[in-house]
Amino acid sequence: MANRRRGEIEAVLAGERHKLVLTLGALAELEDAFGVADLVALGRRLAAGGLSARDITHILQAGLHGAGSSLDASRLPVARALPEILRAVTELLTATFGQEEAAGGPSHAVDATRPFPWEEAMRLGFGVLRLSSRAFWGMTPRELAAAAGIYGPPRAPLSGGELAALMRAFPDDTGA
């Protein structure tokens, strides 16, 4: 069963049920496949329309990879299954990037004018949450946004002045 809160969907492809999800790793895969620098550019490219069959196959493949499937999307009978493939890709993109406020689900506002903060996301995932690489790249944007909301943005290291002020305020006990 698909976990909609995570951004997962289920789709019937070539007569078989498959789970699809765009994880951080799958989105990085799509950035590469579309030759764009970041998720904002990817979003613009997708919103511009005019997607080719290859583009749709890339999105479908990334969604399958994100869900851990080894199905090769390029082997699907596109001519016969085009309506179900288009429905799956549309639903997948909506589940990943669409707002769920109307459905009572979480809404994580994204500033679509700024590139996706990969460096900050990796600092949060690896430095604060202490995730393995596999766990981080397997997260969905919704999961990362929820974790960031709980832990807040990563804090910059203390400056020398801040450290000195803390040391004055809380001196080490010399154990008299």
Side-chain angles (χ1 to χ4, degrees), residues 8 11-12 15 20 27 33 45 47 61 71 79 86 89 93 99 109 122 128-131 142 147 149 158 162-163 171:
E8 294 175 349
V12 176
L20 293 94
L27 289 168
R45 172 72 175 83
Q61 190 67 66
L71 177 69
L86 289 175
V89 166
L93 292 173
Q99 298 295 327
M122 289 188 288
V128 176
L129 301 174
R130 306 262 191 240
L131 298 172
R142 290 177 189 273
L158 294 176
E162 290 171 318
L163 179 58

Side-chain angles (χ1 to χ4, degrees), residues 27 30-31 34 36-47 97:
L27 289 168
L30 281 178
E31 287 176 349
F34 280 79
V36 296
D38 54 51
L39 289 179
V40 173
L42 178 63
R44 280 193 213 109
R45 172 72 175 83
L46 295 174
F97 299 111

Side-chain angles (χ1 to χ4, degrees), residues 38-152:
D38 54 51
L39 289 179
V40 173
L42 178 63
R44 280 193 213 109
R45 172 72 175 83
L46 295 174
L51 296 176
S52 68
R54 181 177 304 165
D55 296 338
I56 291 167
T57 302
H58 282 309
I59 296 166
L60 189 63
Q61 190 67 66
L64 288 163
H65 283 168
S69 174
S70 59
L71 177 69
D72 183 354
S74 68
R75 300 238 185 252
L76 291 172
V78 175
R80 197 170 31 125
L82 189 58
E84 64 191 31
I85 290 172
L86 289 175
R87 190 171 26 259
V89 166
T90 301
E91 188 178 349
L92 179 61
L93 292 173
T94 301
T96 304
F97 299 111
Q99 298 295 327
E100 287 193 26
E101 289 176 284
S107 172
H108 302 294
V110 174
D111 182 353
T113 62
R114 288 186 43 226
F116 184 77
W118 283 111
E119 293 299 319
E120 290 89 347
M122 289 188 288
R123 271 196 298 276
L124 174 68
F126 298 127
V128 176
L129 301 174
R130 306 262 191 240
L131 298 172
S132 68
S133 183
R134 181 183 182 107
F136 174 79
W137 292 109
M139 291 180 89
T140 65
R142 290 177 189 273
E143 292 169 325
L144 183 65
I150 290 171
Y151 289 96

Side-chain angles (χ1 to χ4, degrees), residues 158 162-174:
L158 294 176
E162 290 171 318
L163 179 58
L166 281 173
M167 292 172 71
R168 281 190 304 276
F170 305 98
D172 288 340
D173 184 11
T174 57

